[in-house]
Amino acid sequence: MKAASCDVYIILIANGLLTSRFLQYVERERLINTRGYFLLLYDNRLFRPELHYIWNRIVNVMFVRQYDTYKYRSGEQLIYEKIDLNTVYYPSRTKDLTTIRYIDTWQNGKLRYGNDHYVSKTNNLHGSALRVAVFEHIPAVTEASRDYYQHSNTNSSRALGIEFELLRVIAKAMNFKPNYYMPSDIASEKWGKVGDNDSYTGLLGEAIAGNADFFLGDLHYTIHNLNYLDLSTPYNTECLTFLTPESLTDNSWKLLILPFRLNTWIALLCTLLIGGGAIHIFALFYLKHISSLTCLKRDETNDSTNSLYLFTEFQNSILYMYSMLLQVSLPRLPNAWAVRIFIGWWWIYSILASVTYRASMTATLSHPVAKVTIDTLAQLTRSSLAVGGWNEKSKEFFLTSSDPQSQEIGNKFELTENEEDAVNQVENGTFCYYESSYLLRHIRGKRIFENGNGHRNKSKKNTESPMKYNLHIMEECFVHMPIALGLEKNSPLKPHVDLWIRRLTEIGLVRKWLSDVMEESKINEFQQKLESEKALVNLRKLYGALIALLIGYFLSFLALIGEIIHWKYVVLKDPKYDKYHLDIFYKSKTTFKT
């Protein structure tokens, strides 16, 4: 039957117990199309309470009940054969009791009413109440939906979630009333995992127990989920990736050297040495050869000679050339025209170099701090960070992959049940959390809002360390997972639910609801981006200037100590030193040097 894609089944097993066992087996193993058309022989044993769930899944069914009627006429007893056609109610009027509904009667070779025996029971559910199990997971269902169905707060402008909005429209179109509830263990068990005796908890546990007709919770369209419930046609595709720490390359201490690259600094220093050395040679040459020949008057000679004292010593020459490079004027302009021309062109060079440095410094101060992120699976594999997630199936997904990098991720994949602790580990730079990119964006936006407004959980203030790293979502998706609405296994509502989901997706409502859910996260991320791109010079960006000042203090302190040591162990121990005739002592030192 399954190979031939049958959708019409005629079962002529007279024994109701055998028929019930057969139906239970083929329904459990999905060997028949429960949304097909069924014709069975009537037997009271088919309507036992333990078989009630079967008739909530096989609704296009007709029971053939044959019996004899007796009619007395003129002392004669006439026997007439009748065949009644019955079906089941859907949705069932009672929880554990299956009630049947009369359709038609076959008698004397014809039908009494001749109406349609297989009327669709899922187009209009006539206001029946259907149970809906809810797991709040972004973007399927938000926390705001709880106020909607628990407190009847229909005036809230907050987004309720894609699946919540989908079900609202479907409920109105199919005319049923959804009764929302959250399973008792949903906060810790989420979608569910295997417990004792192969039992499941969480949302899948509700599906296996048959406690609900719909299941909302961002269900992945996987073989594993299809074993326990039905999934509608996918309405969206989500990127499953990792939430990773984002480290900042805080190089503010290098602020003074950031405007130029290494080769530029080398060229600048070489030019300074060459320029300082050149003007020192000009000054010495002028004093030795030109000044004595061109200046006949003594006063003029003294003026020319005195004006060159700035550059007659090499260290002074370098110092004054450096001051001109920083646009600091000379204490006196030399009278020698050769030196003046050289200084004039050096001024032009200094203006160009200093303007370039200032412009580059401004750009460095206004540019956001560079970030170090993990954006590919290869980078994640090479990193020493631990990785993990909530679902054990995710770990199996990595391990069974044919990609060596994915297998390596699966080998070090850790299971974590507490999402808050996992995100805290990511902020501390020790963990990478695996989840849907939409949920990760919601978590990141929430943390940005909390950190920006100073809202921290009071109970964790003393135990948690401050955030060391920003949160970053890895750009590479490990898998693009289809997402679908959950229904009870072999649910007869699936064809109509699929129809409405396709229509709502095609007209763009799913995309609009997704945008509404993620709007708050986008605003928080945009605010953080604006803050990071503001060209504000804060204390951190002045680290370079402070470090330069500290280096100057340190070198000056060393020079002071060196002078004190020289004074005590060199000058004071000199036999020619006389504190009452210091002028004679220093004059002899100068004469000796000359």
Side-chain angles (χ1 to χ4, degrees), residues 528-544:
Q528 185 191 43
K529 185 177 180 181
L530 288 180
E531 290 292 332
S532 63
E533 292 182 353
K534 283 182 179 180
L536 298 176
V537 180
N538 52 19
L539 182 60
R540 173 172 292 181
K541 289 187 177 181
L542 287 177
Y543 281 172

Side-chain angles (χ1 to χ4, degrees), residues 161-321:
I162 299 176
E163 293 185 5
F164 201 90
E165 297 284 4
L166 280 173
L167 193 64
R168 287 178 61 192
V169 176
I170 293 173
K172 187 175 182 180
M174 298 177 64
N175 192 17
F176 67 87
K177 179 183 178 182
N179 290 336
Y180 303 95
Y181 76 98
M182 294 180 62
S184 57
D185 60 347
I186 199 69
S188 58
E189 301 299 330
K190 299 185 179 180
W191 293 283
K193 55 187 178 182
V194 181
D196 298 333
N197 300 324
D198 294 334
S199 61
Y200 259 84
T201 58
L203 207 62
L204 291 181
E206 293 293 305
I208 294 173
N211 294 334
D213 299 283
F214 287 91
F215 303 92
L216 309 183
D218 213 27
L219 289 166
H220 296 172
Y221 204 100
T222 61
I223 298 297
H224 174 261
N225 289 337
L226 285 172
N227 290 332
Y228 306 108
L229 44 74
D230 272 3
L231 296 172
S232 68
T233 183
Y235 64 84
N236 191 23
T237 302
E238 293 183 359
C239 167
L240 298 182
T241 185
F242 286 91
L243 182 69
T244 62
E246 175 188 277
S247 60
L248 300 177
T249 56
D250 187 10
N251 54 359
S252 299
W253 62 274
K254 298 189 296 183
L255 180 63
L256 293 179
I257 63 174
L258 284 177
F260 288 159
R261 295 184 181 273
L262 178 60
N263 54 355
T264 309
W265 280 114
I266 294 174
L268 191 66
L269 293 176
C270 291
T271 306
L272 176 62
L273 293 175
I274 294 172
I279 199 170
H280 175 61
I281 294 172
F282 285 168
L284 294 179
F285 187 81
Y286 189 89
L287 287 175
K288 187 175 181 180
H289 299 286
I290 301 177
S291 178
S292 60
L293 298 175
T294 58
C295 299
L296 300 177
K297 295 182 180 180
R298 187 174 182 179
D299 294 338
E300 294 179 359
T301 304
N302 290 336
D303 290 341
S304 301
T305 304
N306 292 336
S307 63
L308 290 174
Y309 77 94
L310 300 175
F311 307 104
T312 53
E313 294 186 3
F314 182 74
Q315 63 271 23
N316 289 341
S317 178
I318 295 296
L319 183 62
Y320 284 118
M321 297 297 283

